[in-house]
Amino acid sequence: MRHLKKGRKLGRNKAHRAATLRALAAALIEHEAITTTVPKAREASRFVDRLITTARGATLAARRLVASRLGSEPAAKKLFEDVAGRYAGRPGGFTRIVKLARFRIGDGSQLARLELVEKREKPKAEKKEESK
């Protein structure tokens, strides 16, 4: 019986599953949106939400914990400098899963888009004043 065994196995052993979640989390933090299957998106969402919650307390211990769990130094740096500040006043729910109307060609599994809720605002291009 699987009592108190949370999480999906995703058809992988423990090390492969951990590597998959780290790679998905690093890609999500770097690109702020990724496309993957629905079960992987749900597990990655849980993983990234916990990382963002830890990163909001910007202590040295939090940096080390996030760096060890994420395994990507550039992603950890962006998480602390850019992403965590956006969610300072938000109590939770930092990611969104949107099911797509597409299915993967090889096995027909449903695809989903995993994205951060509050996206980074791009600076607007200022209009140049035309001189006559």
Side-chain angles (χ1 to χ4, degrees):
M1 291 185 205
R2 287 187 40 121
H3 295 303
L4 298 175
K5 304 288 184 191
K6 292 186 178 180
R8 293 164 183 80
K9 290 192 175 183
L10 301 174
R12 293 159 167 78
N13 60 28
K14 185 176 180 181
H16 190 186
R17 188 169 48 249
T20 301
L21 288 177
R22 284 178 176 164
L24 287 171
L28 178 63
I29 291 167
E30 183 180 340
H31 300 290
E32 300 192 4
I34 58 172
T35 301
T36 184
T37 60
V38 174
K40 285 184 199 173
R42 288 186 178 157
E43 286 302 307
S45 173
R46 293 177 62 217
F47 187 72
V48 171
D49 281 350
R50 290 179 186 151
L51 287 178
I52 293 173
T53 301
T54 304
R56 285 172 39 187
T59 61
L60 180 60
R63 283 185 180 273
R64 289 178 175 168
L65 186 64
V66 167
S68 70
R69 289 190 181 159
L70 194 55
S72 169
E73 190 60 37
K77 185 175 181 181
K78 181 176 179 181
L79 181 63
F80 276 94
E81 291 177 359
D82 184 29
V83 177
R86 283 189 257 165
Y87 299 108
R90 190 176 182 93
F94 310 116
T95 56
R96 171 186 305 133
I97 298 173
V98 180
K99 290 183 181 178
L100 302 176
R102 296 183 0 218
F103 294 88
R104 197 161 52 191
I105 302 278
D107 61 356
S109 91
Q110 187 175 13
L111 296 177
R113 183 164 178 84
L114 178 62
E115 55 191 23
L116 296 176
V117 174
E118 295 176 10
K119 295 206 176 190
R120 177 182 54 213
E121 295 179 10
K122 295 180 182 177
K124 296 180 181 178
E126 295 180 13
K127 294 182 180 180
K128 295 181 181 178
E129 294 182 20
E130 295 179 18
S131 58
K132 293 185 180 179

